[in-house]
Amino acid sequence: FGARFIDKNKGMKLFSIKAGDLGFAEKIVVKDTDTREDAIAIGGSTLYIATAGAKDPARSDTLHWAHLTEVAFYPEPEAIMAGVTEALADAGRSAHLCEESTPCGRNYFYGRCVAARDGLSPATLCFYPWWWSDKYALAGSSLIPTSEEQAVIAIAAQQGFKLTSEQLHWRRWKNLPTELGARTEDEEAEFAQEYPEDFETCWLGRAGKYFDT
């Protein structure tokens, strides 16, 4: 059993590591600065690693699993998805595709999510609000929720979550304005994008505005 890191485009070998040095690696081959795609061969299978800027990733390959991360920020998502889905199609029913991303306006990824939500694609939409993570909490004294916070508490309750005072303290801290005065529209939109609370508002960050204000 071993693993090989290979450059899919050129296969340029830069250095090797003996089996046992990393516990699993037999050989490592690293891409040069002009390429953006690597592969790892493990036990007869191959794991490709490519950036969104790679030229035709997965083109002419057969993929069984594909995990695309931060799809909302891809420069040419349609072209990338075309290559990936074609490669997955060759694998038939054993193919699996996972797309995940921080929202970034109403772009290509937004359309994919809406289609999944509305049952217009075979994909299943999974929405993860910030309170699913235990790390978003700050110790503090008891507080009286504002009307805005009461609305968020109600949204969380619909999902079976009861927001704690520590979570509300964290939310207030993250929503502090960067300068004296009230939060700006951009600051509110940035929080909604980076720490989603509902499916609609998370897409209305700066990139999702209809007009640049």
Side-chain angles (χ1 to χ4, degrees), residues 141-185:
S141 58
S142 60
L143 50 75
I144 300 176
T146 65
S147 58
E148 178 183 312
E149 291 167 345
Q150 289 175 349
V152 175
I153 291 173
I155 294 174
Q158 292 174 358
Q159 302 173 4
F161 283 82
K162 182 179 180 180
L163 296 186
T164 65
S165 294
E166 289 76 15
Q167 289 174 306
L168 292 178
H169 273 293
W170 174 86
R171 188 180 186 278
R172 288 189 182 184
W173 171 69
K174 288 300 294 185
N175 276 290
L176 289 175
T178 55
E179 299 180 0
L180 292 178
R183 287 178 298 163
T184 65
E185 182 181 344

Side-chain angles (χ1 to χ4, degrees), residues 51-126:
T51 70
K55 183 178 180 180
D56 294 331
R59 184 70 66 180
S60 301
D61 290 318
T62 298
L63 301 180
H64 293 270
W65 289 81
H67 180 190
L68 309 183
T69 185
E70 296 294 9
V71 179
F73 297 88
Y74 285 7
E76 297 181 9
E78 294 89 348
I80 293 174
M81 193 61 66
V84 170
T85 53
E86 182 64 26
L88 286 168
D90 292 339
R93 298 184 64 180
S94 65
H96 299 271
L97 173 63
C98 174
E99 303 168 59
E100 50 89 1
S101 183
T102 303
C104 185
R106 294 186 171 182
N107 55 13
Y108 174 82
F109 183 67
Y110 169 76
R112 299 274 293 180
C113 290
V114 170
R117 181 197 63 183
D118 296 344
L120 302 178
S121 82
T124 299
L125 176 66
C126 299

